[in-house]
Amino acid sequence: MALPASALVFSGRTALAVYPMLGAFTTTFGRNLPYRRSARVLAAAAVAMTMCVVCGAALAALTDPRAGGFGTVVVIAAMAVTAGLAKFLCDATRLSGLGAVLMLFSFAVAANGPAVSLGDVLAQTGLAATGAVTAWGLALVGWAVHPDRPQRLAVAVALRELAGLLEPGGGADGTRHTRHRATAAVLQAYQSLGLSPLTTGRQRGERSTTCVLLADLAWSLLITSARRQTPDATTARYLHAQARLLTLRYRRLPSLLPQLTSLYPLCGDAATARPAEARIRDTMAQALDGFEDFNRRVRLPLGFRIKQPARELVFLTPSGRAEFSAAALPDVVPQDDMLVLQTMRSHDQWNTTIYSDDDRYRGIKNLRTLVLMNRADMRSRGITPGSLVDITATSKDGSKRSLTGYRALSYDMPRGCAAGYMPEMNALIGAADYSTQSAQPLMKNVKVRVAPSDSGTSSA
């Protein structure tokens, strides 16, 4: 800011030196933005700062607020309007920092300045514009020397803040202030790169640069630390080292430390050895539509969606519209002494992986060898709730399969139906019991007979 005002100071016109300095406040906008974007932001800020000076100087020439009275009231009211307008513009354009404050300050200084004529207004405006243009040019000098330096610095700050979070006593155990600073720094790094941490629909190679991979790594570690909440001094040390490499004034972008590459396989070179899971995902990405860039997208905090045409109202039909068809219901009513049994999973179960014997869905605790039945079906078979029963199924190939000593529980379901857990009930389904349409086992349509148990002992 001193550079554009130096000539005025040396010539003895110190009263005017403030105006190029007001224009030079332009440099406070657009910090840590890529130079191309920073040039646009700084140009807009230069125009805004110059307009604040010209409006303030014109108001000073018209109202002479130094004399007091009505002119002072007008200037105060104009300052209030300028403050609101500047705040609105800065919020709308997402200009961070002291943008609105500096615009108001420039207007206030000019409005209370020595302008008494149109010539004074033009002179002050010209000086402010000169300061703004000088600041714009100096702020972009680094573009020719280090074109990606703002991005490097923003990512380096994110790595340092994340390292501080992971260090013992640094806040990985939940200190809100430290975590907030780390989160803000990582998001600022993404803003500098012009990307979002949750972007999924990108072209291949768009996020392959070192800075972007480090930002993705920082985001991944930030999310992981929130779940794990344990210090990691080793990773913190490598993050500090990587940050130092980014801040070196070398024109060539530094490579990633191998220690960080091992933490995040996406950061490594494609030729390096990778886990089997990563190689499988690479193959899936090449072979399956919707799985492009699978290895990176699978690590996104919120995952990713596979494209479903119908969900996007794209119907792959001859008419291009949703087409509905009606089909007659099959006759599935069993014989009088038979029930149609379906197999199912409990709440604490994922496929055949059983985490506990409880089923919160159905209010059942510590029991899986059971069959759920309609109360009327139980009465007609002489079965009391909680008693032991034997279950027999006849396969399509004529073979009989049985389960003995299962606990019968009454459940709100239609007559003629029954239910039990898989994989325990899988023994009732023969090799011939499959759908002719899908070739899948008839897990939901097993014809069974249920009778009081002859053994008198539970199979549990």
Side-chain angles (χ1 to χ4, degrees), residues 3-319:
L3 185 61
S6 300
L8 294 172
V9 173
F10 292 141
S11 64
R13 306 184 68 180
T14 55
L16 295 176
V18 67
Y19 295 99
M21 296 181 68
L22 293 177
F25 278 133
T26 298
T27 56
T28 61
F29 295 83
R31 293 294 182 91
N32 290 331
L33 292 178
Y35 280 117
R36 189 180 301 278
R37 199 145 41 109
S38 181
R40 297 194 297 268
V41 171
L42 291 175
V47 172
M49 297 299 290
T50 303
M51 290 301 298
C52 287
V53 171
V54 69
C55 291
L59 189 62
L62 293 173
T63 61
D64 190 17
R66 290 188 171 191
F70 179 73
T72 303
V73 175
V74 171
V75 168
I76 293 175
M79 289 173 59
V81 173
T82 302
L85 184 60
K87 184 65 168 65
F88 172 78
L89 292 176
C90 288
D91 289 345
T93 56
R94 297 184 179 181
L95 287 177
S96 58
L98 300 175
V101 174
L102 293 177
M103 290 181 188
L104 175 61
F105 179 74
S106 299
F107 176 84
V109 171
N112 290 277
V116 294
S117 64
L118 179 60
D120 293 333
V121 174
L122 293 176
Q124 294 170 8
T125 302
L127 291 172
T130 300
V133 171
T134 303
W136 182 88
L138 292 177
L140 299 177
V141 167
W143 198 348
V145 182
H146 295 288
D148 61 348
R149 186 155 182 80
Q151 296 95 309
R152 291 196 201 185
L153 294 178
V155 174
V157 170
L159 296 181
R160 289 195 188 100
E161 292 293 346
L162 184 61
L165 177 67
L166 297 179
E167 289 172 343
D173 55 352
T175 303
R176 292 183 179 179
H177 180 66
T178 308
R179 181 168 297 281
H180 172 76
R181 286 192 313 176
T183 303
V186 174
L187 293 177
Q188 179 62 40
Y190 275 116
Q191 182 183 6
S192 176
L193 296 167
L195 296 172
S196 166
L198 302 181
T199 297
T200 58
R202 68 175 181 85
Q203 299 295 323
R204 185 178 297 276
E206 180 184 332
R207 297 167 77 103
S208 59
T209 65
T210 300
C211 285
V212 177
L213 290 174
L214 283 172
D216 286 340
L217 170 62
W219 180 258
S220 177
L221 291 175
L222 184 66
I223 299 300
T224 303
S225 69
R227 295 194 298 262
R228 188 174 52 199
Q229 294 190 355
T230 54
D232 189 346
T234 303
T235 301
R237 185 168 66 254
Y238 293 138
L239 290 174
H240 277 302
Q242 185 70 67
R244 284 194 296 272
L245 290 176
L246 286 176
T247 56
L248 294 176
R249 292 186 176 275
Y250 295 139
R251 186 178 180 86
R252 184 177 179 181
L253 194 65
S255 59
L256 275 74
L257 294 176
Q259 295 86 350
L260 294 181
T261 303
S262 64
L263 287 175
Y264 194 47
L266 293 179
C267 296
D269 188 278
T272 60
R274 309 183 70 196
E277 296 88 347
R279 295 195 299 272
I280 293 172
R281 294 191 192 105
D282 284 340
T283 303
M284 293 175 66
Q286 296 173 6
L288 302 176
D289 291 337
F291 283 84
E292 294 81 5
D293 199 18
F294 191 14
N295 260 312
R296 186 195 64 83
R297 295 166 69 197
V298 76
R299 290 175 171 81
L300 292 174
L302 300 183
F304 69 96
R305 284 186 174 183
I306 301 173
K307 288 185 177 180
Q308 297 288 345
R311 183 178 62 210
E312 300 170 5
L313 301 183
V314 176
F315 302 104
L316 305 178
T317 60
S319 65

Side-chain angles (χ1 to χ4, degrees), residues 296-357:
R296 186 195 64 83
R297 295 166 69 197
V298 76
R299 290 175 171 81
L300 292 174
L302 300 183
F304 69 96
R305 284 186 174 183
I306 301 173
K307 288 185 177 180
Q308 297 288 345
R311 183 178 62 210
E312 300 170 5
L313 301 183
V314 176
F315 302 104
L316 305 178
T317 60
S319 65
R321 299 182 177 183
E323 297 181 0
F324 299 90
S325 61
L329 292 175
D331 184 7
V332 295
V333 179
Q335 301 176 18
D336 291 340
D337 61 339
M338 299 187 72
L339 301 174
V340 178
L341 179 138
Q342 65 154 324
T343 65
M344 60 188 184
R345 290 171 289 189
S346 69
H347 174 268
D348 290 355
Q349 180 178 351
W350 188 82
N351 287 342
T352 57
T353 302
I354 301 167
Y355 297 102
S356 81
D357 291 340

